[in-house]
């Protein structure tokens, strides 16, 4: 895919408990657990830096209210290309 | 909100690159969780706990539907007891299993509020079974989110009513057996068999697709309440990685592989589109309820003229079953209602009152009555000796005792109260029926205390008693009681035992 990714995601290392559910649920598999431990002693999740579609499923799978913020390029895509599931469309 | 500098720098960078926030912490959550301990930036839930996801779905729906400011969230007992630390809405936490009962009261007093009862399976399906069944059966217009993880999580993994056959817990170490522990309870199906519930669905936090279905169900349930349609119930199958001793990803899979086959996902009931009968309580006036007719001498509108000298009057009426004890209490309360007072009547039922002592508690007050229970009566009407002996000591100092005999028993000394001995049964008998003794005592009470108007008593009797001769006896007995009091001289009025 050319150009910038449609989505982006920021994980608050302070709030993440390292459960790994976001990593497991991410459709394009663009999240991972860091090998290093965070201040609270867990391996927090982080964005690999590319391929995020902004679907938001990681947000819904994450049990922490504020650990994940998902971004989308503006204007957001009006239709979802086939094969790429967006959270709201699932 | 607590955020590390690296995270906030990253966020700014992304926004500068032309991205917009599409999913972020719901405004229905507090920024900081003012809870015990240091971790005010995180929930207290274990990593991978389903409660967090359920909370997020609810919070998002409340914010999106614009309901946050009118929501009252009822927390249960269980891991989610601390939901009030997270949801920036009205919060109440209730005793184990009682959330639907409390939610009923809240919703009925604040019908405009969105009332959510959030409960786990130990709370809702074990100790609170009665509360949920009856709230559902009454069709309370509340929303219940039932988070089912098939185990008692907070207390360390004991067997719950929802524990599945073969599932090992600390209290079913060989696995649950139907022969010994019974079968798992299917709450959604059970609730759906009731007539009143409007919307009942079971969802699961097992995978992406089901989480999004859960999101939809949460919104639907809240919409049903927002639109005032009726009772909505969403059962949420939820992972408990800690107690199940699985990592969060495995735990989620376990919901899909083990729980869903036992607890199938479905909309069990959705009759939100059916015409809902108007359940509004008919507003009737006191006159209507009391069947006060125009022929009564004492129309309600004229009554507040009577100046009630006592702010509160707590009365206990006691006697043999059949003496008209409960009826006397009812008449007093009805008279109070007619005179615009707050009233309560609490009968004491029980097998012991059959051919024994029956009694009732009556409160007449110019203020709202806190409790109908009368433990220190201002007035005791004792229609027989056992009642006198049982209750005389309870009478408040300076109170009044009306005793249905000519004399007190020889051995009884009651210096703390004013005692009036009235041979009410004899007086009534002479008038035609000893059954009207209660009316004699009522007449005496009115004359002795002026707590209510005699005309009100006659008005009530006229409404209540359809048979002409009965009405005559009772009115005569009432007058006889008043006359008995009038004929007592100031000295020696009170017959006391020596």
């Amino acid at each position: 895919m050319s150009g910038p990714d449609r989505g982006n995601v920021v994980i608050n290392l302070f709030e993440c408990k390292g459960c790994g559910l976001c990593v497991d649920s991410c459709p394009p598999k663009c999240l991972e657990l860091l090998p290093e431990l965070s201040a609270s002693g867990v391996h927090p999740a982080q964005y690999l830096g590319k391929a995020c579609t902004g679907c938001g499923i990681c947000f819904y799978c994450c049990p922490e209210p504020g650990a994940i913020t998902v971004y989308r390029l503006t204007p957001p895509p009006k239709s979802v290309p086939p094969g790429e599931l967006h959270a709201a469309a699932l | 909100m607590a955020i590390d500098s690296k995270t906030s720098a990253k966020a700014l960078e992304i926004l500068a690159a032309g991205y917009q926030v599409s999913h972020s912490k719901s405004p229905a959550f507090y920024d900081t969780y003012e809870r015990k301990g240091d971790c005010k930036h995180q929930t207290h839930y274990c990593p991978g706990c389903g409660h967090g996801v359920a909370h997020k779905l609810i919070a998002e729906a409340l914010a999106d539907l614009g309901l946050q400011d009118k929501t009252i969230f009822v927390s249960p007992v269980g891991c989610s007891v601390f939901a009030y630390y997270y949801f920036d809405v009205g919060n109440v936490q209730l005793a184990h299993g009682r959330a639907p009962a409390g939610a009923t009261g809240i919703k009925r007093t604040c019908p405009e509020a969105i009332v959510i009862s959030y409960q786990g399976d130990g709370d809702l399906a074990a100790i609170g079974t009665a509360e949920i069944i009856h709230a559902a059966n009454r069709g309370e217009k509340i929303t219940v989110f039932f988070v089912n993880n098939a185990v008692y999580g907070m207390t360390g993994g004991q067997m719950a009513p929802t524990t599945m056959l073969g599932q090992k817990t600390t209290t079913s170490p060989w696995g649950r057996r139907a022969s010994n522990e019974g079968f798992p309870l299917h709450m959604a199906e059970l609730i759906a068999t009731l007539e009143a519930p409007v919307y009942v669905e079971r969802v699961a936090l097992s995978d992406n697709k089901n989480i999004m279905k859960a999101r939809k169900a949460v919104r639907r349930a809240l919409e049903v309440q927002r639109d005032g349609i009726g009772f909505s119930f969403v059962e949420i199958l939820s992972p408990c990685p800690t107690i199940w001793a699985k990592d969060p990803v495995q735990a989620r899979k376990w919901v899909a592989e083990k729980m869903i086959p036992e607890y199938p996902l479905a909309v069990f009931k959705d009759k939100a589109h059916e015409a809902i009968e108007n359940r509004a309580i008919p507003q009737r006036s006191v006159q209507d309820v009391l069947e006060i007719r125009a022929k009564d001498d004492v129309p309600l509108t004229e009554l507040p003229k009577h100046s009630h000298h006592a702010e509160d009057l707590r009365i206990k009426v006691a006697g043999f079953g059949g003496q008209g004890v409960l009826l006397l209490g009812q008449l007093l309360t009805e008279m109070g209602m007619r005179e615009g007072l707050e009233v309560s009547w609490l009968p004491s039922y029980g097998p012991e009152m059959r051919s024994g002592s029956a009694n009732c508690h009556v409160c007449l007050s110019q203020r709202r009555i806190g409790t109908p229970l009368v433990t220190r009566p201002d007035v005791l009407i004792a229609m027989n000796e056992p009642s006198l002996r049982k209750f005389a000591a309870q009478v408040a100092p300076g109170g009044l005792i009306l005793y249905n005999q000519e004399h007190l028993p020889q051995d009884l000394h009651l210096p703390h109260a004013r005692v009036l001995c009235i041979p009410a049964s004899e007086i009534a008998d002479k008038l035609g029926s000893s059954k009207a003794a209660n009316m004699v005592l009522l007449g005496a009470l009115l004359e002795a205390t002026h707590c209510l108007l005699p005309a009100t008593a006659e008005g009530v009797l006229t409404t209540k008693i359809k048979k002409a001769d009965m009405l005559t006896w009772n009115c005569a007995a009432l007058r006889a009681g008043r006359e008995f009091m009038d004929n007592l001289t100031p000295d020696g009025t009170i017959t006391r035992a020596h």
Side-chain angles (χ1 to χ4, degrees), chain A residues 4-21 24-27 34 40 42 46-47 54-74 76 87-90, chain B residues 1-4 6-7 10-12 14-15 17-26 29 33 41-53 55-57 60 86 207-209 211-213 215 247-249 252-253:
Chain A
D5 291 319
R6 279 181 295 125
N8 213 320
V9 56
V10 173
I11 294 163
N12 184 340
L13 301 183
F14 201 47
E15 293 189 45
C16 176
K17 289 175 177 167
C19 73
L21 289 177
D24 184 60
S25 6
C26 175
L34 271 175
S40 47
V42 301
Q46 73 158 10
Y47 178 39
C55 75
I57 194 68
C58 58
F59 173 82
Y60 290 110
C61 292
C62 171
E64 277 306 304
I68 292 183
T69 307
V70 179
Y71 299 82
R72 279 183 193 163
L73 254 194
T74 49
L90 277 169
Chain B
M1 182 174 41
I3 192 163
D4 61 309
K6 213 173 138 193
T7 308
K10 220 185 285 177
L12 288 173
I14 291 168
L15 291 170
Y19 288 87
Q20 284 187 350
V21 174
S22 66
H23 299 84
S24 63
K25 185 172 176 177
S26 167
F29 285 120
Y33 313 133
H41 59 290
Q42 283 179 326
T43 64
H44 71 289
Y45 297 118
C46 306
C49 174
H51 277 308
V53 177
H55 282 19
K56 280 172 88 170
L57 299 179
E60 186 195 47
Y86 312 125
D207 54 57
N208 296 357
K209 209 164 190 167
I211 288 172
M212 297 320 287
K213 278 187 180 169
R215 176 176 178 264
D247 75 44
V249 173
R252 225 165 60 147
K253 287 198 178 102

Side-chain angles (χ1 to χ4, degrees), chain B residues 10-313:
Chain B
K10 220 185 285 177
L12 288 173
E13 203 178 291
I14 291 168
L15 291 170
Y19 288 87
Q20 284 187 350
V21 174
S22 66
H23 299 84
S24 63
K25 185 172 176 177
S26 167
F29 285 120
Y30 288 114
D31 277 348
T32 310
Y33 313 133
E34 294 300 333
R35 64 187 185 92
K36 286 180 194 162
D38 297 328
C39 299
K40 297 188 192 324
H41 59 290
Q42 283 179 326
T43 64
H44 71 289
Y45 297 118
C46 306
C49 174
H51 277 308
V53 177
H55 282 19
K56 280 172 88 170
L57 299 179
I58 294 167
E60 186 195 47
L62 290 177
D64 288 357
L65 299 173
L67 303 175
Q68 181 180 358
D69 287 344
K70 50 194 248 179
T71 294
I72 300 174
F73 192 101
V74 183
S75 306
V77 169
C79 287
S80 52
V81 63
F82 292 139
Y84 50 76
Y85 286 138
Y86 312 125
F87 285 97
D88 186 4
V89 297
N91 282 287
V92 175
Q93 193 276 323
L94 285 171
H96 209 0
R98 274 48 175 172
T104 297
I106 295 166
K107 183 70 181 183
R108 288 192 176 202
T109 45
C110 312
E112 296 306 313
I114 296 294
V115 182
I116 296 174
S117 174
Y118 184 103
Q119 302 176 263
D121 47 320
D123 189 85
L124 181 140
I127 193 166
T129 322
E131 282 73 13
I132 188 61
I133 294 287
H134 289 290
N137 194 47
R138 290 190 304 268
E140 299 298 342
K141 292 173 182 170
I142 59 172
T143 302
V144 178
F145 293 115
F146 168 45
V147 181
N148 177 4
N149 61 12
V151 82
Y152 276 85
M154 185 185 76
T155 50
Q158 292 83 358
M159 195 194 80
T162 45
T163 294
M164 294 173 293
L165 291 180
Q167 187 183 340
K168 289 180 183 172
T169 69
T170 56
T171 48
S172 60
W174 303 278
R176 182 177 190 163
R177 294 160 301 172
S179 59
N180 199 48
E181 292 93 26
F183 292 91
L185 257 179
H186 293 67
M187 288 309 296
E189 287 88 334
L190 217 141
I191 299 287
T193 61
L194 302 171
E195 194 59 42
V198 167
Y199 176 67
V200 182
E201 179 167 359
R202 182 186 288 119
V203 295
L205 305 177
S206 56
D207 54 57
N208 296 357
K209 209 164 190 167
N210 277 330
I211 288 172
M212 297 320 287
K213 278 187 180 169
R215 176 176 178 264
K216 228 169 121 186
V218 165
R219 296 171 97 87
R220 178 102 184 89
L222 289 170
E223 283 165 358
V224 164
Q225 181 177 179
R226 177 198 63 191
D227 299 340
I229 301 173
F231 182 85
S232 51
F233 181 93
V234 180
E235 176 171 343
I236 303 171
L237 304 182
S238 173
C240 179
T242 301
I243 297 297
W244 296 352
K246 292 176 176 15
D247 75 44
V249 173
Q250 283 175 342
R252 225 165 60 147
K253 287 198 178 102
W254 198 80
V255 173
E257 289 163 10
K258 303 287 181 189
M259 287 191 80
I260 293 177
E262 173 69 33
Y263 296 109
L265 307 186
V267 178
F268 293 97
K269 195 164 195 180
D270 188 351
K271 52 175 195 175
H273 300 295
E274 288 174 25
I276 300 293
E277 59 164 314
N278 183 10
R279 294 211 189 103
I281 299 161
Q283 292 297 317
R284 295 174 68 201
S285 66
V286 174
Q287 285 100 319
D288 274 353
V289 175
L290 299 182
E291 296 177 5
I292 297 175
R293 292 167 302 203
K295 72 169 186 173
D296 283 6
D297 296 336
V298 193
L300 197 75
T301 44
E302 291 176 17
L303 287 168
K305 282 180 198 160
H306 178 57
S307 61
H308 297 278
H309 53 82
E311 189 134 294
D312 286 296
L313 199 61

